[in-house]
Amino acid sequence: MDLGIRVLGPVELRRAGHGDRLGSAKERLVLAALALDAGRPVSLDTLIHRLWEDAPPAKPRASVHAYAARIRRRLRAVCDGELLLQQAHTYTLALHPRQVDCHRFAELADRARALTDGGGDAEALGLLGEAEELWHGEPLAGLPGLWAARVRAGLEEKHLAAHLTRFGIELRRGHFAELVPEVGALLEQYPSDETLACQLMTAAYGCGRQSDALRVYDTVRRRLREQLGTDPGDALTRLHRLVLNGAPLHELLPPPEPAVAAPRTLPSHPELVGRTHELDTILSAAPARAEPGAVIALQAISGMAGVGKSLLALHAARRLGGRYPDGQIHLDLRAHSPGQEPLTPEAALMALLRVLGVPARAVPDTLDELVNLWRTLLSARRAVIVLDDAAGPEQLRPLLPGASPSLVIITSRRRITGLPGVRPVLLDVLPPDDAVALFRRLAGPERTGRAHEVADIVRLSGYLPLAIELAAGRLASRPAWTTANLLHRLTHGHGRLAEIRDGSREMVRAFEVSYMTLTAEERAVFRKLGLQLGPDFETFTTAALTGLPAHRAERVLESLLDAHLIQEPRPERYVFHDLLGEYARTLSLSEDPAEARDGALRGLIDFYVQASDAADRLVYPRRARPDLPRPARGRALPAWPSPDAARRWLTAERAGLVAAERHCRAENAFGDAALLAGALANFLDEEGYAIEAQRMHESAARHWRTAARPDAEVRALLDLGTALSRGGRYEEAIAAMGRAREVADRLGDAAARAETEHLLGLLYWHLGRQPEALAHQNEALALRRPTGDGWEIARSQNNLGITHLYLGNFADAEEHFRSAVEGFRASGDEIQLARTLNNLSDLRTATGDRAASRDYLQQALRLLEKSSSPSAHAITQVNLANTMSSPTELNSMLDLFQDALTTFRRLGDLRNASITLHGMGQALLAAHEFHEAAHHHRRALDLARSIGAAHEEVQALHGLGTAERHLDQPEAAAGHLTEAVAMAERTGNGHEAARARDSLSVLLAETKRREQRNRQSRRQAM
């Protein structure tokens, strides 16, 4: 903006070289009063005092408003936007101080003074010449009043100081004759100024005019005696003596200030262990050489307390010393120094300027002047500056040098945002190997030979460098200790945090400093988060735990994240570093009353019960539920836009929900535990978390039986049977279903009875007892048909199709599958539809139509892309792999199988893991990789036997026997194939029995031919 205000002369508003002196003296006085404080609010009372001193008119505020309105109109006429702002009893002229000539003059003069103090006379003269051009006469010319007079006198003093600086430089450069008239004229204006007198005497003496120099002394001495009753000071007296004695000229000249050596203030520090990537990031951001007009490079290293931010910064700065010859500067900003306040920007700048050699007398007083001088000194210097332990952007912004070839490295426990061009380096804990290396280097190799104990120590130290340093220091200071002693203290002492200490230093103290920088609300939330039941938390669980509204909880979480007191490993999911989590729990136990802790956990449990029930109803709307009492509303729940969103929430919160149920059981809150178990039943079943579900539903069934709620008990028993079946505990599951059938019959609950038959059919199918499975599935369908519930009928049709498929009744299987497809499509259940398409694919594979099989699977995958069911997706991957040809597509098949196997292992789904291993074995068998095929079939067989899955056991036996036949192990092959035939026949699996018999016949025929060849060989040999 080409707009400025002149006060060094007549007060004017200037734009593009043209001046506007406004209408009246009072208007100019108001403009000057605002301009002297440009960018800062000036109160109405201050303006009134500046205009009228102690004799204001009758309505001074109205007069000031009138003058301000006129000035505002003139400002609007020359620029866009509002520059004169009025707020609560104040006016602010919204200009940068540099747009007011007196401030610009002071900035240039200060920069020049600092430069000449450092030996930069030539550059200082240029700045002083630029400053002198700003003067156009007497400051505030023509304006009356005491305030104007005081300002005028102060500005003229600064003008004189600038003259004195320039005259000193000119004298050192030998410009004597040119200075005599100028200094003489100024001495007439300030007749008692002894510095001016010294400069005039030196200039005259330098021209060879000794008598004129002595005359100056006599004149000044007489004036001082007559006006002040004193004699000249030491400097003027010394100069008079030198002139009188005809001393050499150089003894009279002010000595040149020596150039300040490049400062090196980095503190000593230990060697860095690890951090290669982070160090490379910082080093690569530092250009090898300066470019004209380079912009300051900013690296901000942030992280939790004790993570090694300062060490990384100092190491990087020292490594960069060769690239930054003008200095390596370190300044502790003390944001987290115990017992000390953080440095103010003013104090920090004063310290930085003193490091650069600026004398105390030349350090400015105001922040703007300090900033301008700092930026001037750094504009041509190439230095690396470490601003250590910063509080935040407000503290840092004035310290940034601006356009400069320097590098600034910032460290902070808070995330640094709001600074343009900053490159963040977020420092995490050390990788385990680096953590071990650090501990060994600090404790000594002779004390750290037991690798497993060292690994446990650094793990218990949270891989945090400071904690590792303290633990290693404690070991090193105890010669009688071994790593086993230290490990015992960490695991059996007074808590890890209490044991991680070394002399006067404790890990707790480092955390405490960060904690104390929080607001009272943030501290309260931090403590409550230590009570979390799950491994992570988010906005709504935090709101439930703390009682805050969700929007406020989100703000506090962001503040804790910025302070590196929590971490965000996934979007909007937060965790504690384990040591910080222990610290938070310790604080809550010591500072929060027991009632407050209990209330917080009560709020969290209520939220989990309400939210899990709401999510369950959204994801599984068709599920039958008993009418059960639940906590009163009052907790904010997530607003899920779709069932998939609710499913994603259940997935993210699973560990916390399961932990909450476990906590309720441990605290004898069996009702809440049962409500959670019921709400999570379908989700845990679909995701394959059978082991967790079994314990939950066993407890729920006991509770509802004790509470005399048979409607809830039967549902809990059904959930229990499903979970036991998923875990391969089929006989126990059948027993649970028997109890469920008894309760359902007693209640006359046809829907529960149908579900019991449905699940019993699945159990007998898993056990390979297909005729019994078929009977139960037919009974379930018969009970469901009268209800007209198309979705439930489709479930029975699908299961009947599977049973007929395994019995080899392909036509019946297809009929039931197609009926199920129609039912699921009509009800809009895409996951169940995809599963039925999977089953149709199995049918097409069994009948040899691989193309149709693959088409069904591709349809299923397209449906599953919209869902969040990893189990269904993995099953489809297995089936798709089974439609491929080996060996031509072996790699693609194995990739699909391996992905699915990883999912099933994560979910604990042993049956599907066995099926997947069998598929891998079959693919390897077709590729003539017989050893690998046998290995995978053995693993499939072990899993199938561990859960009593008869059908999978038959398939694994058949595959293993076939692989052994190709490996020329006929006895083992015959044994496994014979066992496969027997088990298939026993379980009514005629199709698999026929396949195994065919393979056994091939083996026996091969064995017979081999024996015949052997007999012929023996006869020929005879």
Side-chain angles (χ1 to χ4, degrees), residues 99-115:
Q99 292 173 263
V100 181
D101 59 356
C102 66
H103 294 305
R104 175 65 177 158
F105 170 80
E107 175 191 342
L108 293 168
D110 288 340
R111 288 164 57 186
R113 193 173 304 112
L115 286 167

PDB file of all heavy atoms in Angstrom, residues 99-115:
ATOM      1  N   GLN A  99       4.963   2.660   8.034  1.00  0.00           N
ATOM      2  CA  GLN A  99       4.318   3.610   7.131  1.00  0.00           C
ATOM      3  C   GLN A  99       4.248   5.012   7.728  1.00  0.00           C
ATOM      4  O   GLN A  99       3.763   5.932   7.068  1.00  0.00           O
ATOM      5  CB  GLN A  99       2.915   3.111   6.771  1.00  0.00           C
ATOM      6  CG  GLN A  99       2.920   1.845   5.909  1.00  0.00           C
ATOM      7  CD  GLN A  99       1.542   1.276   5.713  1.00  0.00           C
ATOM      8  OE1 GLN A  99       1.111   0.360   6.402  1.00  0.00           O
ATOM      9  NE2 GLN A  99       0.823   1.839   4.761  1.00  0.00           N
ATOM     10  N   VAL A 100       4.736   5.168   8.944  1.00  0.00           N
ATOM     11  CA  VAL A 100       4.821   6.484   9.585  1.00  0.00           C
ATOM     12  C   VAL A 100       6.293   6.869   9.616  1.00  0.00           C
ATOM     13  O   VAL A 100       7.133   6.108  10.103  1.00  0.00           O
ATOM     14  CB  VAL A 100       4.227   6.440  11.006  1.00  0.00           C
ATOM     15  CG1 VAL A 100       4.302   7.822  11.648  1.00  0.00           C
ATOM     16  CG2 VAL A 100       2.778   5.948  10.959  1.00  0.00           C
ATOM     17  N   ASP A 101       6.634   8.065   9.100  1.00  0.00           N
ATOM     18  CA  ASP A 101       8.042   8.386   8.863  1.00  0.00           C
ATOM     19  C   ASP A 101       8.893   8.392  10.126  1.00  0.00           C
ATOM     20  O   ASP A 101      10.063   8.009  10.100  1.00  0.00           O
ATOM     21  CB  ASP A 101       8.174   9.716   8.107  1.00  0.00           C
ATOM     22  CG  ASP A 101       7.556  10.895   8.848  1.00  0.00           C
ATOM     23  OD1 ASP A 101       6.957  10.699   9.925  1.00  0.00           O
ATOM     24  OD2 ASP A 101       7.652  12.031   8.331  1.00  0.00           O
ATOM     25  N   CYS A 102       8.329   8.783  11.285  1.00  0.00           N
ATOM     26  CA  CYS A 102       9.156   8.810  12.497  1.00  0.00           C
ATOM     27  C   CYS A 102       9.559   7.404  12.927  1.00  0.00           C
ATOM     28  O   CYS A 102      10.669   7.189  13.417  1.00  0.00           O
ATOM     29  CB  CYS A 102       8.449   9.563  13.622  1.00  0.00           C
ATOM     30  SG  CYS A 102       6.938   8.756  14.211  1.00  0.00           S
ATOM     31  N   HIS A 103       8.640   6.435  12.757  1.00  0.00           N
ATOM     32  CA  HIS A 103       8.980   5.052  13.097  1.00  0.00           C
ATOM     33  C   HIS A 103       9.990   4.486  12.104  1.00  0.00           C
ATOM     34  O   HIS A 103      10.905   3.760  12.480  1.00  0.00           O
ATOM     35  CB  HIS A 103       7.723   4.191  13.105  1.00  0.00           C
ATOM     36  CG  HIS A 103       6.753   4.552  14.181  1.00  0.00           C
ATOM     37  ND1 HIS A 103       7.098   4.603  15.510  1.00  0.00           N
ATOM     38  CD2 HIS A 103       5.434   4.904  14.126  1.00  0.00           C
ATOM     39  CE1 HIS A 103       6.049   4.952  16.231  1.00  0.00           C
ATOM     40  NE2 HIS A 103       5.022   5.146  15.414  1.00  0.00           N
ATOM     41  N   ARG A 104       9.805   4.821  10.846  1.00  0.00           N
ATOM     42  CA  ARG A 104      10.759   4.363   9.834  1.00  0.00           C
ATOM     43  C   ARG A 104      12.140   4.955  10.110  1.00  0.00           C
ATOM     44  O   ARG A 104      13.154   4.263   9.990  1.00  0.00           O
ATOM     45  CB  ARG A 104      10.258   4.776   8.445  1.00  0.00           C
ATOM     46  CG  ARG A 104      11.208   4.473   7.296  1.00  0.00           C
ATOM     47  CD  ARG A 104      11.388   2.986   7.126  1.00  0.00           C
ATOM     48  NE  ARG A 104      12.232   2.680   5.984  1.00  0.00           N
ATOM     49  CZ  ARG A 104      12.890   1.549   5.822  1.00  0.00           C
ATOM     50  NH1 ARG A 104      12.798   0.589   6.741  1.00  0.00           N
ATOM     51  NH2 ARG A 104      13.629   1.328   4.756  1.00  0.00           N
ATOM     52  N   PHE A 105      12.173   6.221  10.506  1.00  0.00           N
ATOM     53  CA  PHE A 105      13.450   6.862  10.830  1.00  0.00           C
ATOM     54  C   PHE A 105      14.133   6.147  11.997  1.00  0.00           C
ATOM     55  O   PHE A 105      15.336   5.854  11.945  1.00  0.00           O
ATOM     56  CB  PHE A 105      13.215   8.333  11.189  1.00  0.00           C
ATOM     57  CG  PHE A 105      14.431   9.001  11.774  1.00  0.00           C
ATOM     58  CD1 PHE A 105      15.447   9.461  10.945  1.00  0.00           C
ATOM     59  CD2 PHE A 105      14.580   9.139  13.142  1.00  0.00           C
ATOM     60  CE1 PHE A 105      16.587  10.054  11.488  1.00  0.00           C
ATOM     61  CE2 PHE A 105      15.706   9.722  13.690  1.00  0.00           C
ATOM     62  CZ  PHE A 105      16.715  10.188  12.854  1.00  0.00           C
ATOM     63  N   ALA A 106      13.361   5.856  13.052  1.00  0.00           N
ATOM     64  CA  ALA A 106      13.949   5.197  14.229  1.00  0.00           C
ATOM     65  C   ALA A 106      14.490   3.819  13.860  1.00  0.00           C
ATOM     66  O   ALA A 106      15.560   3.420  14.325  1.00  0.00           O
ATOM     67  CB  ALA A 106      12.904   5.088  15.331  1.00  0.00           C
ATOM     68  N   GLU A 107      13.745   3.108  13.018  1.00  0.00           N
ATOM     69  CA  GLU A 107      14.205   1.783  12.595  1.00  0.00           C
ATOM     70  C   GLU A 107      15.526   1.875  11.845  1.00  0.00           C
ATOM     71  O   GLU A 107      16.477   1.122  12.117  1.00  0.00           O
ATOM     72  CB  GLU A 107      13.133   1.140  11.700  1.00  0.00           C
ATOM     73  CG  GLU A 107      13.557  -0.183  11.096  1.00  0.00           C
ATOM     74  CD  GLU A 107      12.598  -0.650  10.011  1.00  0.00           C
ATOM     75  OE1 GLU A 107      11.454  -0.155   9.965  1.00  0.00           O
ATOM     76  OE2 GLU A 107      13.005  -1.500   9.200  1.00  0.00           O
ATOM     77  N   LEU A 108      15.616   2.799  10.892  1.00  0.00           N
ATOM     78  CA  LEU A 108      16.853   2.936  10.108  1.00  0.00           C
ATOM     79  C   LEU A 108      18.019   3.358  10.993  1.00  0.00           C
ATOM     80  O   LEU A 108      19.143   2.864  10.848  1.00  0.00           O
ATOM     81  CB  LEU A 108      16.635   3.950   8.979  1.00  0.00           C
ATOM     82  CG  LEU A 108      15.651   3.514   7.883  1.00  0.00           C
ATOM     83  CD1 LEU A 108      15.307   4.714   6.990  1.00  0.00           C
ATOM     84  CD2 LEU A 108      16.249   2.399   7.059  1.00  0.00           C
ATOM     85  N   ALA A 109      17.762   4.291  11.922  1.00  0.00           N
ATOM     86  CA  ALA A 109      18.832   4.767  12.800  1.00  0.00           C
ATOM     87  C   ALA A 109      19.325   3.651  13.717  1.00  0.00           C
ATOM     88  O   ALA A 109      20.535   3.500  13.938  1.00  0.00           O
ATOM     89  CB  ALA A 109      18.338   5.960  13.616  1.00  0.00           C
ATOM     90  N   ASP A 110      18.402   2.850  14.258  1.00  0.00           N
ATOM     91  CA  ASP A 110      18.803   1.742  15.133  1.00  0.00           C
ATOM     92  C   ASP A 110      19.620   0.713  14.360  1.00  0.00           C
ATOM     93  O   ASP A 110      20.618   0.174  14.861  1.00  0.00           O
ATOM     94  CB  ASP A 110      17.567   1.078  15.734  1.00  0.00           C
ATOM     95  CG  ASP A 110      16.907   1.943  16.792  1.00  0.00           C
ATOM     96  OD1 ASP A 110      17.589   2.837  17.325  1.00  0.00           O
ATOM     97  OD2 ASP A 110      15.717   1.721  17.077  1.00  0.00           O
ATOM     98  N   ARG A 111      19.182   0.406  13.149  1.00  0.00           N
ATOM     99  CA  ARG A 111      19.923  -0.556  12.343  1.00  0.00           C
ATOM    100  C   ARG A 111      21.309  -0.033  12.037  1.00  0.00           C
ATOM    101  O   ARG A 111      22.312  -0.781  12.094  1.00  0.00           O
ATOM    102  CB  ARG A 111      19.160  -0.842  11.045  1.00  0.00           C
ATOM    103  CG  ARG A 111      17.911  -1.684  11.247  1.00  0.00           C
ATOM    104  CD  ARG A 111      16.968  -1.643  10.066  1.00  0.00           C
ATOM    105  NE  ARG A 111      17.598  -2.073   8.837  1.00  0.00           N
ATOM    106  CZ  ARG A 111      17.017  -2.013   7.637  1.00  0.00           C
ATOM    107  NH1 ARG A 111      15.790  -1.517   7.530  1.00  0.00           N
ATOM    108  NH2 ARG A 111      17.645  -2.439   6.563  1.00  0.00           N
ATOM    109  N   ALA A 112      21.401   1.250  11.740  1.00  0.00           N
ATOM    110  CA  ALA A 112      22.706   1.837  11.442  1.00  0.00           C
ATOM    111  C   ALA A 112      23.612   1.792  12.661  1.00  0.00           C
ATOM    112  O   ALA A 112      24.808   1.473  12.564  1.00  0.00           O
ATOM    113  CB  ALA A 112      22.530   3.274  10.957  1.00  0.00           C
ATOM    114  N   ARG A 113      23.041   2.115  13.826  1.00  0.00           N
ATOM    115  CA  ARG A 113      23.847   2.123  15.045  1.00  0.00           C
ATOM    116  C   ARG A 113      24.376   0.723  15.346  1.00  0.00           C
ATOM    117  O   ARG A 113      25.541   0.544  15.719  1.00  0.00           O
ATOM    118  CB  ARG A 113      22.987   2.628  16.201  1.00  0.00           C
ATOM    119  CG  ARG A 113      23.781   2.976  17.458  1.00  0.00           C
ATOM    120  CD  ARG A 113      22.885   3.637  18.503  1.00  0.00           C
ATOM    121  NE  ARG A 113      22.221   4.816  17.970  1.00  0.00           N
ATOM    122  CZ  ARG A 113      20.910   4.926  17.745  1.00  0.00           C
ATOM    123  NH1 ARG A 113      20.122   3.914  18.013  1.00  0.00           N
ATOM    124  NH2 ARG A 113      20.396   6.034  17.262  1.00  0.00           N
ATOM    125  N   ALA A 114      23.509  -0.300  15.148  1.00  0.00           N
ATOM    126  CA  ALA A 114      23.964  -1.666  15.378  1.00  0.00           C
ATOM    127  C   ALA A 114      25.053  -2.063  14.389  1.00  0.00           C
ATOM    128  O   ALA A 114      26.019  -2.748  14.751  1.00  0.00           O
ATOM    129  CB  ALA A 114      22.780  -2.620  15.274  1.00  0.00           C
ATOM    130  N   LEU A 115      24.908  -1.631  13.143  1.00  0.00           N
ATOM    131  CA  LEU A 115      25.905  -1.979  12.134  1.00  0.00           C
ATOM    132  C   LEU A 115      27.248  -1.323  12.428  1.00  0.00           C
ATOM    133  O   LEU A 115      28.302  -1.955  12.301  1.00  0.00           O
ATOM    134  CB  LEU A 115      25.404  -1.560  10.743  1.00  0.00           C
ATOM    135  CG  LEU A 115      24.302  -2.448  10.159  1.00  0.00           C
ATOM    136  CD1 LEU A 115      23.673  -1.785   8.954  1.00  0.00           C
ATOM    137  CD2 LEU A 115      24.875  -3.810   9.775  1.00  0.00           C
TER     138      LEU A 115
END
